[in-house]
Amino acid sequence: MELQAKGKTSHREALLKAEHSIAKTKDIARKDLSRLKYHFMAPANWLNDPNGFIFYKGEYHLFYQHNPYGPRWGAMHWGHAKSKDLVHWEHLPIALAPSEPYELHDRGGCFSGSAVDNNGVLTLLYTATILKEEQLIQTQCLASSDDGITFEKYEGNPVIPGPPADGSADFRDPKVWRHGELWYMVVGSSKDNRGKALLYKSADLREWDYVGVLAESDGTMGTMWECPDFFLLGGRHVLMFSPMGMGKHITIYLIGDMDYATGKFTWDTMGDIDHGREYYAPQSLLDGKGRRVIIAWLNAWDWMPWFKDFAPTDNNHWCGAMSAPRTVELDQSGRLRFEPVEELKVLRREHYRLENTIVAPGADVLPKYAASDCAEIIAEFQLSGCQAEEIGFALRASGDGRQQTLLVYNLRTNELRLDRSQSDGWSEGIPAVTLERSGEEALKLHIFIDTCVVEVYTDNYGTVMTNNIYPDPGSIEMEVFSIGDQVTMKSIDIWKLRSAW
Ligand code: FRU
């Protein structure tokens, strides 16, 4: 009992200290002109994975990996916010802080996890970590709340004290759901350099039985599977995860069938959730409208050189943001299809439209007043018979052309790339994806720009590419272009978007 009371006090103290640190920095962070206008960010300092994303008592709750003490990863807490529409977010007090002094607990950080509604009690399952003899021990723990705001850690923690023989010390990121009479949990792990998703079941969220390996790498699918998520979609099952060490594939989905009697998931289809370099650890929820919605951290570990910060914004006391929420559906060919949630339309203000416009090489097409660093663009190009080599957009360009980000489609190779070599002097690399469309079909691009983020949907929403850029605040011009020959732009709609903050 004494230990329990001490535990509660130390958690509250740790939370207060964290809130105090944010209160000191948030006004400086808020003034940074590169803060996003309609993507979710912490009030200040570091953010990574979405955690505990849930539709609970009619509202969306989003928790997130958060270091309230600085703009770099460390001392993982769970930040917390809620929203009625997935667009406007209200920050809530930090929900979890690493605090517990006793062994096998969370002093090394409260790592990623998920939330469930347990008969009205908002319950979090997370990975507690502690550094012991240079080894990071990872266990699964539980915290719950009656009011959806203040969380008490379960005195019986950890609820899973260590990995099964199929796993290893990398044993983290529990995602929990209900099926029939039982709770199920998928946990990311690794063994012999192969990423794995491990399955558990429980009647009460506190006592867990290991079921087996839900899926694992065949040797080509990454060395550790972080942040797995598993859900039913259109009669099939989807496993999403973020594999470490799988090259340009940073978030994968597997589609297959689940047999709960045997615990076997048999998959037949694999794809990328996003083809950009900054979309990691997506987590999903099922909402009151029956939609499966995902949100992800707008960075990724594997792509950042060790000597580089995750964003130049950390000079301004913040780093990290979440993607815009996307719905996930099965398309007719049995693959995943992602659309921006329709609620984002409330942000639309001035609208500009052109129809059947010839875009000739070197011509100015878009008016200066369409320029914006916070905009949505839907453009459709007529490609049958088109002789152009490349078409695309210059985005976030400076008046003197010194800074620009090029979104380019190559008609010969079918490749779509985001050329950041002139974006800002900081960003590197040219993320690219080969589209699945046939050459003659019209090309439709749906683009969202929000200061440092560019999200592009294409291939009838089967392909998404998300990347960050950090141009000067004054670089807001945009233009459409064609190289080699002209192209007909069947239509373009541009909306300037208002800020959601
Ligand atoms: C993924 C991840 C998780 C871990 C968390 C720590 O980005 O590495 O596996 O729980 O971040 O912040």
Side-chain angles (χ1 to χ4, degrees):
M1 270 316 274
E2 209 179 291
L3 193 62
Q4 195 183 326
K6 204 168 154 211
K8 276 189 187 168
T9 321
S10 58
H11 191 212
R12 271 186 213 130
E13 278 168 6
L15 289 168
L16 278 174
K17 208 170 139 221
E19 290 294 348
H20 187 64
S21 170
I22 290 297
K24 276 197 304 196
T25 27
K26 70 175 185 209
D27 287 341
I28 314 175
R30 196 172 45 207
K31 291 194 186 114
D32 181 10
L33 294 176
S34 58
R35 290 282 279 177
L36 299 165
K37 298 193 171 82
Y38 59 95
H39 285 76
F40 181 82
M41 296 158 295
N45 291 329
W46 171 272
L47 165 155
N48 60 292
D49 314 351
N51 296 155
F53 189 37
I54 188 171
F55 186 69
Y56 170 71
K57 295 193 175 162
E59 293 180 311
Y60 297 92
H61 283 253
L62 174 66
F63 300 82
Y64 53 93
Q65 288 286 279
H66 182 35
N67 178 5
Y69 297 107
R72 309 247 163 112
W73 187 86
M76 282 296 111
H77 290 58
W78 277 38
H80 186 194
K82 66 174 186 172
S83 168
K84 289 194 180 358
D85 64 0
L86 289 165
V87 177
H88 300 90
W89 292 94
E90 179 191 340
H91 289 296
L92 294 173
I94 294 173
L96 292 180
S99 59
E100 306 308 319
Y102 40 91
E103 208 178 311
L104 279 185
H105 222 298
D106 64 8
R107 242 193 167 169
C110 301
F111 278 19
S112 286
S114 54
V116 289
D117 179 346
N118 183 19
N119 277 324
V121 179
L122 188 54
T123 305
L124 311 180
L125 279 305
Y126 66 99
T127 298
T129 66
I130 192 158
L131 197 61
K132 212 175 157 196
E133 288 154 17
E134 295 188 13
Q135 168 85 286
L136 196 64
I137 312 275
Q138 307 182 358
T139 65
Q140 315 316 322
C141 288
L142 182 146
S144 59
S145 169
D146 291 325
D147 62 3
I149 295 179
T150 313
F151 290 85
E152 303 287 355
K153 292 174 181 172
Y154 172 50
E155 63 272 18
N157 275 339
V159 292
I160 305 182
D166 289 332
S168 68
D170 281 313
F171 178 56
R172 57 182 178 269
D173 312 334
K175 176 79 200 277
V176 178
W177 71 99
R178 182 105 185 153
H179 175 79
E181 293 299 296
L182 294 177
W183 296 102
Y184 285 84
M185 175 196 285
V186 61
V187 188
S189 196
S190 135
K191 185 150 190 188
D192 305 327
N193 273 330
R194 291 179 180 215
K196 289 179 187 235
L198 306 175
L199 185 67
Y200 284 80
K201 66 179 179 188
S202 167
D204 63 359
L205 297 170
R206 282 153 176 84
E207 302 262 324
W208 290 91
D209 292 326
Y210 177 58
V211 179
V213 177
L214 188 66
E216 64 188 318
S217 165
D218 59 3
T220 63
M221 296 157 70
T223 54
M224 159 69 197
W225 288 3
E226 297 197 305
C227 301
D229 192 343
F230 191 65
F231 50 87
L232 180 67
L233 190 74
R236 304 214 73 199
H237 278 83
V238 177
L239 176 67
M240 303 193 294
F241 55 90
S242 297
M244 291 168 71
M246 199 180 164
K248 66 178 193 167
H249 304 285
I250 56 175
T251 43
I252 293 289
Y253 67 80
L254 304 178
I255 304 179
D257 298 306
M258 177 66 183
D259 181 349
Y260 277 95
T262 59
K264 285 272 159 285
F265 171 59
T266 319
W267 61 272
D268 47 55
T269 307
M270 177 163 126
D272 290 284
I273 304 255
D274 193 287
H275 294 265
R277 298 210 178 153
E278 276 110 16
Y279 192 88
Y280 200 73
Q283 195 172 79
S284 81
L285 60 70
L286 189 64
D287 77 0
K289 297 178 183 162
R291 298 180 300 179
R292 183 59 63 172
V293 180
I294 58 171
I295 196 163
W297 174 38
L298 288 174
N299 270 119
W301 303 111
D302 278 9
W303 279 109
M304 290 317 292
W306 61 268
F307 50 85
K308 228 175 153 170
D309 294 332
F310 275 73
T313 59
D314 70 357
N315 294 327
N316 298 321
H317 303 277
W318 71 282
C319 186
M322 294 298 170
S323 70
R326 301 171 185 172
T327 55
V328 188
E329 285 171 340
L330 270 190
D331 73 10
Q332 282 170 349
S333 66
R335 300 182 69 81
L336 294 190
R337 184 174 191 276
F338 309 92
E339 274 196 76
V341 292
E342 60 180 13
E343 286 89 333
L344 287 164
K345 290 183 184 155
V346 304
L347 300 172
R348 291 176 176 175
R349 40 182 199 115
E350 292 100 310
H351 177 214
Y352 173 76
R353 181 176 168 88
L354 280 177
E355 281 175 21
N356 296 320
T357 309
I358 302 288
V359 180
D364 288 338
V365 178
L366 300 180
K368 283 260 184 277
Y369 63 80
S372 177
D373 65 350
C374 187
E376 179 183 352
I377 305 169
I378 301 181
E380 195 168 336
F381 298 91
Q382 179 73 60
L383 295 193
S384 72
C386 175
Q387 296 302 315
E389 282 162 34
E390 296 197 316
I391 59 173
F393 285 91
L395 303 169
R396 296 292 323 262
S398 55
D400 61 6
R402 201 176 39 86
Q403 280 192 338
Q404 58 178 359
T405 298
L406 300 176
L407 177 66
V408 191
Y409 172 67
N410 184 300
L411 281 80
R412 314 250 182 292
T413 60
N414 231 355
E415 188 187 71
L416 182 73
R417 64 178 193 269
L418 191 82
D419 186 338
R420 304 189 286 186
S421 40
Q422 270 179 272
S423 291
D424 46 36
W426 191 90
S427 301
E428 286 170 24
I430 305 179
V433 52
T434 303
L435 302 188
E436 289 178 14
R437 53 187 306 288
S438 83
E440 292 286 287
E441 254 175 81
L443 173 74
K444 189 169 161 189
L445 299 173
H446 191 164
I447 307 165
F448 285 84
I449 306 167
D450 184 1
T451 57
C452 352
V453 185
V454 182
E455 292 171 285
V456 184
Y457 298 78
T458 188
D459 272 344
N460 197 23
Y461 296 92
T463 300
V464 198
M465 185 161 76
T466 303
N467 293 287
N468 295 331
I469 49 171
Y470 302 94
D472 299 340
S475 300
I476 58 167
E477 296 194 3
M478 63 171 88
E479 188 51 282
V480 56
F481 64 81
S482 173
I483 296 172
D485 204 346
Q486 66 184 37
V487 64
T488 303
M489 189 162 60
K490 280 167 71 175
S491 63
I492 184 167
D493 288 283
I494 303 177
W495 292 269
K496 293 194 183 184
L497 301 181
R498 73 180 86 243
S499 172
W501 290 103

